[in-house]
Amino acid sequence: ERRWQPAPPDESGTYLVSNQNLRQLHRFRRLLKLRMRNARRRIWLTTPYFMPDHATQKAMAEAARRGIDVCLLTPFKTDQRIAQWAARAAYAKLLEAGARIYEYRPRILHAKTAVIDDDWCTIGTANLNYRSFFVNYELNLISDCKALAMTLTEIFEQDLEDSREVTERAWKRRGW
């Protein structure tokens, strides 16, 4: 259905955001950037294909410089090697800004979530990359539900236990 419109937020502040038409195309990216700019405590992101556009990288780095706990979880194992190389190209600026980056070790990571502070989260099909923001058809659940944010936070913390941190020092000393 080309004219489908997601329902407005319900009383819990939960709603769907798609990018299926020109009016909705940039909505998810704008919501995410706005929340990053207004974050007070944390920005925790999980994405298998991390190739952020310049504005998203900038919002993440600025938040980290403000003292916000910016933590990114990406896969160590991947089905798209070139996508992983592109993701890693963005690591240096984020690490310099004070963001933390972890690579998930056990298997291919395919979760796409974000938790900002304790009261906003998203889960859906959108990666943090250009294709998800501007090309692919994506659908994300956006929620102000604290219980959902807490559940996603707990899952994120469990995934960090199976991950290895990419430190700025080690990143600068990496080989080709």
Side-chain angles (χ1 to χ4, degrees):
E1 173 60 52
R2 304 292 275 164
R3 298 182 197 283
W4 177 82
Q5 294 289 320
D10 62 21
E11 61 278 350
S12 70
T14 299
Y15 55 102
L16 291 171
V17 172
S18 90
N19 63 347
Q20 75 174 22
N21 60 44
L22 288 176
R23 197 172 69 89
Q24 296 171 322
L25 184 61
H26 301 282
R27 189 168 179 211
F28 177 70
R29 179 173 163 259
R30 284 193 311 259
L31 284 168
L32 190 60
K33 283 190 338 183
L34 177 66
R35 288 295 179 153
M36 285 183 193
R37 284 192 199 113
N38 295 327
R40 300 172 313 279
R41 200 166 83 80
R42 73 165 154 219
I43 300 170
W44 287 3
L45 307 164
T46 304
T47 186
Y49 304 111
F50 179 68
M51 293 168 277
D53 63 303
H54 177 73
T56 303
Q57 277 186 58
K58 184 178 175 185
M60 291 173 70
E62 286 174 354
R65 283 189 208 97
R66 286 194 330 262
I68 305 301
D69 179 15
V70 176
C71 190
L72 174 66
L73 181 62
T74 63
F76 176 74
K77 296 178 182 179
T78 184
D79 59 347
Q80 296 290 325
R81 198 73 168 143
I82 196 160
Q84 187 177 49
W85 292 338
R88 289 178 172 173
Y91 283 9
K93 286 182 181 179
L94 294 173
L95 290 168
E96 286 173 15
R100 296 181 301 140
I101 300 172
Y102 288 81
E103 291 184 336
Y104 183 74
R105 297 288 175 154
R107 59 195 155 278
I108 293 177
L109 175 75
H110 206 66
K112 299 157 184 99
T113 67
V115 178
I116 299 180
D117 297 328
D118 296 319
D119 57 0
W120 190 89
C121 60
T122 181
I123 185 168
T125 63
N127 291 289
L128 289 176
N129 66 27
Y130 182 86
R131 290 192 61 85
S132 283
F133 288 155
F134 305 112
V135 179
N136 296 347
Y137 174 67
E138 306 289 359
L139 185 65
N140 273 56
L141 179 81
I142 306 288
S143 183
D144 294 332
C145 175
K146 290 184 180 185
L148 180 57
M150 186 185 320
T151 299
L152 291 176
T153 297
E154 290 169 2
I155 293 168
F156 188 89
E157 289 170 336
Q158 291 168 5
D159 288 343
L160 287 184
E161 292 175 12
D162 292 324
S163 305
R164 183 174 299 157
E165 186 171 8
V166 178
T167 65
E168 185 177 12
R169 182 177 178 189
W171 190 250
K172 286 180 178 178
R173 293 188 305 175
R174 74 192 184 285
W176 275 94

